[in-house]
Amino acid sequence: MKLRIFDLLFLDIEMPKIDGIEFGERLRRNNDRTEIVYVSAREDRVFDAFKVRPFDFIRKSNFLGDLSKVINNYLAMLESRKGGTVTVLSKSGIMNVPLSDVKYFEGYGKTQLIHLAGKKETINVNRSMEKLEEDLGPKGFIRIHKGILVNYRFISRILVSDVELTDGEVLPLSRRKVTAIKARYLELLRGGGSVIL
């Protein structure tokens, strides 16, 4: 059977046999990065949907207005992703990695590891965390700890002392900076088209 990959998926929260949020969780467990838009009259379940990192929500009561906004935000996001890569220079050659594949950077000093979605292997990069934060902060990366810079698109939840990623991995969170980290995360979500309630 040929695997089909989709860019954007519209799901109702309440569906026969399987709940739309549960279906989204299954996609995320398989490291599927299809953008999900929930269409529902169940506005009380919006917070339940955050764990699957949806792109946006469409209220059935304002379907046409919300749909137009979501499509415009999605097209703007695609435009902003163009050319978004990290180029790693090493003794063995040059490697281009799409930013959309980078979950997070981890390390200390001058050497960091790039953790990629769906891959166990990491990539070494010779760049300080401070310089990575300076270069990638404007592209949606948040420094959640002294040695960790995360792509906000992979954050599922920010808890009291750690951050849970969409694949279930848990990373430590700097308690000193938790307020600033949450504020930046919400700012990026809004910029990506999320409705914050």
Side-chain angles (χ1 to χ4, degrees):
M1 184 171 125
K2 186 177 177 182
L3 180 66
R4 299 182 70 185
I5 298 172
F6 297 92
D7 295 319
L8 186 62
L9 185 62
F10 291 84
L11 289 175
D12 199 327
I13 289 178
E14 292 186 329
M15 303 189 304
K17 295 186 181 177
I18 185 169
D19 174 292
I21 295 171
E22 183 184 342
F23 183 79
E25 287 175 327
R26 288 185 188 182
L27 288 177
R28 297 299 181 241
R29 278 196 299 271
N30 291 317
N31 291 310
D32 187 298
R33 287 171 301 150
T34 299
E35 295 291 356
I36 297 171
V37 174
Y38 283 111
V39 181
S40 185
R42 291 290 308 269
E43 294 178 34
D44 59 310
R45 300 228 26 226
V46 167
F47 286 110
D48 296 336
F50 275 125
K51 56 189 161 189
V52 300
R53 196 177 35 90
F55 178 75
D56 213 332
F57 298 88
I58 293 176
R59 296 165 294 171
K60 287 185 177 177
S61 61
N62 189 37
F63 184 80
L64 292 178
D66 286 353
L67 178 64
S68 175
K69 175 184 67 83
V70 167
I71 295 298
N72 287 334
N73 287 340
Y74 181 72
L75 294 174
M77 182 204 65
L78 289 180
E79 189 63 32
S80 71
R81 283 187 179 176
K82 285 183 181 176
T85 62
V86 173
T87 302
V88 180
L89 308 174
S90 68
K91 292 176 183 176
S92 58
I94 299 173
M95 179 187 309
N96 277 321
V97 179
L99 283 177
S100 59
D101 288 347
V102 177
K103 287 199 309 181
Y104 64 96
F105 291 84
E106 175 187 33
Y108 299 94
K110 294 183 179 180
T111 303
Q112 316 305 322
L113 298 175
I114 303 175
H115 293 261
L116 301 173
K119 295 187 179 179
K120 291 183 180 178
E121 303 83 23
T122 57
I123 301 169
N124 287 334
V125 60
N126 292 317
R127 179 76 59 99
S128 71
M129 188 62 74
E130 288 72 23
K131 184 63 176 159
L132 285 172
E133 182 180 17
E134 180 185 323
D135 293 341
L136 297 173
K139 297 185 180 290
F141 284 75
I142 306 171
R143 193 165 180 185
I144 63 165
H145 195 269
K146 183 179 179 183
I148 301 175
L149 183 69
V150 180
N151 185 339
Y152 91 97
R153 295 166 187 88
F154 288 96
I155 295 175
S156 173
R157 297 190 297 168
I158 298 179
L159 304 169
V160 176
S161 60
D162 45 41
V163 170
E164 184 180 323
L165 303 185
T166 54
D167 62 2
E169 186 173 359
V170 176
L171 302 173
L173 173 66
S174 171
R175 287 190 174 185
R176 288 186 307 113
K177 298 181 178 178
V178 68
T179 302
I181 289 166
K182 286 181 177 179
R184 177 62 177 148
Y185 179 57
L186 290 172
E187 178 186 358
L188 289 165
L189 287 174
R190 283 189 195 96
S194 287
V195 175
I196 310 296
L197 303 175

